[in-house]
Amino acid sequence: NMDSGKLDDTQLKALREFLPTKEEKTAIDQYVKNASSTEESKQAAINDFCACEKYMLAMMKVEMADEKFQCMLFKYQFDHKLNELMNGVTTLINACEEVQKSVRLRKLMAMILMLGNQINTGGSGRMAHGFTLDALLKLDEAKAFDKKTSVLQ
């Protein structure tokens, strides 16, 4: 069961951080083995452990404890991360819909196309049916006769 109970992600991270290392596992095993000639002496040695050592001893018995903590953290954080992502996606979708529905933007793009055709062909010849977004950047470079005023102004 991967239920994290009432633990939050900060607590889960802290518990994961204090999982015993290989050296700590070896030291605890060795201590318990050396201190226990009987079951009673083994239990007495374990009772002498501080809370941290008791935690490590308990976690040594859990298979793949680190992976389980990672799964619990992922499960705990999933909804929050999904909501963050969905807020961005919703904003992007709304922006795309606004661009598609904008009459003023459509008119502006038509005027830019007409202006580009006028500049490139002088109003006669083969007219373009569209332009690239890269061409929009060139509008700032196109200057009026005074060499100061751009098309965008």
Side-chain angles (χ1 to χ4, degrees):
N1 185 4
M2 296 301 293
D3 185 17
S4 61
K6 296 183 189 236
L7 299 174
D8 64 20
D9 61 335
T10 304
Q11 292 167 322
L12 288 169
K13 286 177 189 175
L15 288 171
R16 181 174 170 243
E17 186 177 323
F18 292 115
L19 287 173
T21 64
K22 287 182 181 179
E23 293 83 17
E24 290 167 331
K25 287 179 183 179
T26 304
I28 291 171
D29 277 340
Q30 194 66 38
Y31 177 80
V32 170
K33 187 185 287 183
N34 290 343
S36 58
S37 56
T38 66
E39 187 61 34
E40 287 177 0
S41 61
K42 177 181 177 181
Q43 204 55 45
I46 292 172
N47 288 339
D48 286 342
F49 282 173
C50 67
C52 181
E53 291 165 334
K54 287 178 182 177
Y55 171 74
M56 288 183 181
L57 181 64
M59 293 311 296
M60 286 169 51
K61 298 173 186 170
V62 177
E63 287 187 43
M64 298 173 38
D66 187 57
E67 290 82 357
K68 289 178 181 179
F69 273 113
Q70 286 177 343
C71 286
M72 287 188 284
L73 276 165
F74 178 81
K75 181 181 172 187
Y76 183 86
Q77 296 171 341
F78 181 80
D79 287 336
H80 176 68
K81 289 184 178 185
L82 179 64
N83 287 336
E84 274 183 14
L85 186 63
M86 290 309 296
N87 288 340
V89 169
T90 301
T91 300
L92 182 62
I93 289 170
N94 290 339
C96 289
E97 288 174 357
E98 289 296 319
V99 166
Q100 288 175 335
K101 292 177 186 175
S102 175
V103 174
R104 291 177 70 189
L105 182 62
R106 194 172 300 131
K107 286 180 182 178
L108 176 65
M109 295 297 176
M111 288 173 27
I112 292 170
L113 178 62
M114 184 177 69
L115 178 65
N117 280 332
Q118 189 68 31
I119 290 171
N120 292 332
T121 65
S124 61
R126 188 164 175 250
M127 300 289 185
H129 297 290
F131 56 87
T132 63
L133 293 178
D134 206 33
L136 289 175
L137 298 174
K138 294 182 182 178
L139 289 177
D140 193 41
E141 297 171 13
K143 304 288 183 191
F145 294 113
D146 66 0
K147 307 279 188 215
K148 295 177 184 173
T149 311
S150 74
V151 172
L152 294 177
Q153 293 171 331

